[in-house]
Amino acid sequence: MRQRPGRPRTVHTATGHKAHSSLTPVRRVFDAAQVQDGVRRVLTESYLIGGVGEVSCPAGEDVVAGRIFECRVDIAGEKAKVTITVRDAAGGYEVSQPEP
C-alpha cells in the first residue's frame, strides 16, 4: 500500500504505544499496566512471594538501557517497593526483591 507524501505512517512499538515514522528518533516509554503485571508475575512466580496485591508503577518511564525507577507494591497488607532496572533498548528489565 502506498503512503501519500507528507503523511506519517503509524506503527505500534513493542511497548504498546503508537509512534510515527520519521527521521527523528521516537521516544519509547513503558506501558505502566504491562510493567505492573510483569512485576506481579516476577514476585509470585520467581521470588515465590504470596499475598502480592496492588502494584503501582509510574507512567511514561523511558525504555533506555540503564534507566532505574521504582514501583510500589502491597504484599500481605504491607507497603513495599521494588526497583526496576532497564536492561536493554528492547524493553527487557529486572525486578529487585521487595524492600520496605
Side-chain angles (χ1 to χ4, degrees):
M1 179 167 97
R2 292 185 60 137
Q3 295 284 330
R4 285 192 248 167
R7 295 191 67 189
R9 184 171 52 113
T10 301
V11 296
H12 293 276
T13 66
T15 54
H17 294 280
K18 291 182 180 180
H20 297 285
S21 63
S22 70
L23 298 177
T24 338
V26 175
R27 178 176 177 237
R28 295 183 59 214
V29 297
F30 283 104
D31 179 307
Q34 289 179 351
V35 175
Q36 290 164 182
D37 289 343
V39 167
R40 185 175 292 106
R41 193 170 35 257
V42 168
L43 294 177
T44 58
E45 296 175 12
S46 297
Y47 294 142
L48 304 176
I49 297 172
V52 177
E54 183 180 348
V55 178
S56 176
C57 298
E61 289 293 335
D62 291 321
V63 178
V64 175
R67 180 147 184 99
I68 296 171
F69 60 95
E70 292 181 348
C71 296
R72 301 285 174 198
V73 185
D74 181 88
I75 301 174
E78 299 291 323
K79 301 294 182 194
K81 66 179 180 177
V82 294
T83 300
I84 307 299
T85 304
V86 183
R87 286 192 325 230
D88 54 51
Y93 58 90
E94 296 174 355
V95 178
S96 73
Q97 288 273 357
E99 299 175 15

